[in-house]
């Protein structure tokens, strides 16, 4: 018997599943990666046991420039309707919020960058996906301009960033989003830093230090966030068992 299948939506070649993908495979999952940015067509519903929606440089409502975003939101709604375990990372988190009736906007506090503290809420302790991370995940990697400004009706905030914005949420009974990037390494962040080099230089941001800090924190981050993938794999396995 094979392990659970996870459908992955990748929005940009520089935003791969990376560590989260490795950890899911390590936990026994098979990944089915769709790359609509390269022409892959998204299905109307998730035929796999779980859905992972990755990050990307675009905004969650940039449909005119990225035609697959609307189908991604439809896919998310279908997954929630069907009870398929769903996880959104950064843009994926924002797409979940928008798809289910929430709102996003450019963060009025400015771009979130590098290692930031995770501000777990009281509700996080009993969460089926993130609950066991509360004791160990104290920091996470951020690289985003947009944030969720209003959660969908019935959603639960599970963590707040230092500026008070939503950092993690349970958007629906089996759908979660994290604004931070548990999947990235300093190597993955390299092209993102290059894209932002001009604006960061203008603001006096030391990109080399940011990447060095992430690299130095690798053992801490791996220990803190690998359980997210393991627990998501368990939820996917449970979903697979219920569909057989």
């Amino acid at each position: 018997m094979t392990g659970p299948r996870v459908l992955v939506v990748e929005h940009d070649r520089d935003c791969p599943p990376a560590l989260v993908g490795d950890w899911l495979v390590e936990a026994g999952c098979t990944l089915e990666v769709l790359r609509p940015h390269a022409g892959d067509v998204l299905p109307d519903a998730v035929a796999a046991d779980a859905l992972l929606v990755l990050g990307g440089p675009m905004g969650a409502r940039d449909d005119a420039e990225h035609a697959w975003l609307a189908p991604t939101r439809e896919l998310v709604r279908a997954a929630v309707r069907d009870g398929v375990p769903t996880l959104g990372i950064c843009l994926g988190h924002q797409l979940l919020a928008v798809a289910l009736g929430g709102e996003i906007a450019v963060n009025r506090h400015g771009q979130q960058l590098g290692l930031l503290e995770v501000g777990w809420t009281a509700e996080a302790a009993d969460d089926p996906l993130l609950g066991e991370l509360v004791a160990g995940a104290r920091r996470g990697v951020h690289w985003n301009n947009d944030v969720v400004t209003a959660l969908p009706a019935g959603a639960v905030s599970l963590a707040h960033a230092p500026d008070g914005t939503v950092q993690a949420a349970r958007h629906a009974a089996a759908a979660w989003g994290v604004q931070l990037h548990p999947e990235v390494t300093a190597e993955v962040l390299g092209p993102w830093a290059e894209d932002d080099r001009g604006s960061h230089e203008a603001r006096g941001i030391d990109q080399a230090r940011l990447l060095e800090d992430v690299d130095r924190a690798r053992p801490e981050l791996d220990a803190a966030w690998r359980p997210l993938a393991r627990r998501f794999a368990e939820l996917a396995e449970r979903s697979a068992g219920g569909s057989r």
Side-chain angles (χ1 to χ4, degrees), residues 163-235:
D163 61 12
T165 56
V166 177
Q167 196 174 34
R170 186 170 65 248
H171 293 283
W176 293 265
V178 292
Q179 184 59 73
L180 51 84
H181 285 279
E183 84 282 15
V184 299
T185 61
E187 182 179 5
V188 172
L189 289 174
W192 305 6
E194 189 59 36
D195 286 346
D196 284 345
R197 181 174 299 281
S199 64
H200 286 177
E201 287 178 349
R203 293 157 56 196
I205 293 171
D206 187 342
Q207 289 189 336
R209 174 62 63 84
L210 283 175
L211 299 183
E212 287 170 7
D213 287 347
V214 170
D215 200 40
R216 191 179 302 113
R218 189 76 269 148
E220 170 200 337
L221 295 171
D222 286 357
W225 295 102
R226 180 180 272 109
L228 170 67
R230 177 180 54 76
R231 183 59 183 147
F232 192 60
E234 291 172 357
L235 294 174

Side-chain angles (χ1 to χ4, degrees), residues 43-67:
D44 295 327
V46 179
D49 304 309
L51 173 65
L52 173 62
V53 184
L54 298 173
M58 62 287 295
R61 295 187 184 276
D62 289 350
D63 297 9
E65 296 84 8
H66 308 286

